[in-house]
Amino acid sequence: MMSQAFAPQSDAAAGAITDYDETELATQIVAKLCHDFISPAGAMSSALDLMTDPDSADMHADALNLMQQSAARMVALVRFARVAYGAATSNQNFSSDELRTTVTDLLAGGRAAIEWQIPEGDYAKPHARILVNLAYVAVGALPTGGTATLSAERTDGHLILTTVSEGPRARLKPEAVQGLSGAELTDGLPGQWIQPHWLWRSVRGQGGTLQVSTDENRVELVARLPLSTNG
């Protein structure tokens, strides 16, 4: 088994990692959101065109179905983004059921199954943010399908969030490995890097540690976080 622990570093030790340009980071996040939103938004626009075209009356039912599916997808993406990127909200806590819906709605229809073993109860916003990002990365490690199991445990003043991705060819892309280590992207696709990097920054911001273990057809992510949060 290969295992790496990506723990928080001091500003002096982190060097270029903590000096990463905040504007560039925001640019990468916005680019990721635009990439995610463009498909359902474009589909809704196409469906509206069909529904308002008198020559396409025979396709109105299909257009309506496309509109409904795309709208549901857009809502799932927005709900996920609100939690994953910490957008302003009056909710300081999220229930396990809310988080489960956020994750499963976003990832529904994919090749991977989600095994939700998160105990009932409320989770502070920073912990919820880390949990949904963990789920996203865990499912992304299953390109040909499998099961991503999510679990949580409170012990010794810490919240331990664990995801285990098991399936054929379970793996982390090189960009994801860079992101999870806190490193800036040097080669590869920014869209494959930003979510893992944002996860690393979120864990680090809470004074936690992020451990990544990989084996054949298996990837495990463990975030160990103080129960007291930084907002």
Side-chain angles (χ1 to χ4, degrees):
M1 175 180 290
M2 299 171 58
S3 179
Q4 291 179 285
F6 302 140
Q9 305 178 55
S10 67
D11 287 351
I17 293 176
T18 55
D19 291 337
Y20 188 76
D21 188 273
E22 298 295 333
T23 300
E24 180 61 24
L25 180 69
T27 298
Q28 297 293 354
I29 291 175
V30 171
K32 176 69 165 59
L33 291 173
C34 290
H35 176 273
D36 291 343
F37 292 160
I38 192 62
S39 180
M44 284 190 286
S45 178
S46 296
L48 280 172
D49 287 343
L50 285 173
M51 293 180 70
T52 56
D53 183 356
D55 296 328
S56 302
D58 59 331
M59 299 181 67
H60 283 186
D62 290 338
L64 179 59
N65 184 54
L66 177 60
M67 174 72 75
Q68 291 171 330
Q69 291 179 351
S70 301
R73 177 64 177 167
M74 181 65 81
V75 169
L77 285 164
V78 171
R79 184 184 294 122
F80 175 82
R82 288 179 63 245
V83 183
Y85 297 111
T89 173
S90 59
N91 293 330
Q92 294 301 312
N93 296 285
F94 295 86
S95 70
S96 174
D97 287 342
E98 286 180 289
L99 296 174
R100 180 175 186 170
T101 298
T102 297
V103 169
T104 55
D105 283 359
L106 177 75
L107 302 172
R111 295 181 178 181
I114 298 173
E115 184 69 27
W116 187 264
Q117 297 181 1
I118 303 297
E120 294 183 1
D122 289 339
Y123 293 81
K125 189 192 303 183
H127 293 160
R129 180 186 310 139
I130 291 165
L131 176 57
V132 299
N133 278 287
L134 276 168
Y136 188 98
V137 175
V139 170
L142 296 168
T144 61
T147 300
T149 302
L150 285 65
S151 60
E153 177 185 10
R154 290 182 171 91
T155 180
D156 297 329
H158 287 80
L159 174 65
I160 301 174
L161 301 173
T162 303
T163 66
V164 177
S165 304
E166 295 179 298
R169 298 178 62 191
R171 61 183 177 84
L172 291 169
K173 295 181 179 179
E175 296 95 331
V177 173
Q178 284 183 280
L180 292 169
S181 70
E184 296 182 21
L185 182 67
T186 54
D187 296 306
L189 299 173
Q192 302 293 335
W193 167 84
I194 184 58
Q195 205 90 38
H197 185 75
W198 181 248
L199 169 59
W200 176 84
R201 289 177 69 97
S202 297
V203 171
R204 183 175 181 275
Q206 292 302 310
T209 59
L210 180 61
Q211 181 173 317
V212 180
S213 303
T214 61
D215 202 351
E216 185 177 4
N217 298 327
R218 188 179 190 275
V219 175
E220 181 180 66
L221 308 175
V222 181
R224 183 179 178 88
L225 310 164
L227 280 174
S228 58
T229 66
N230 297 325

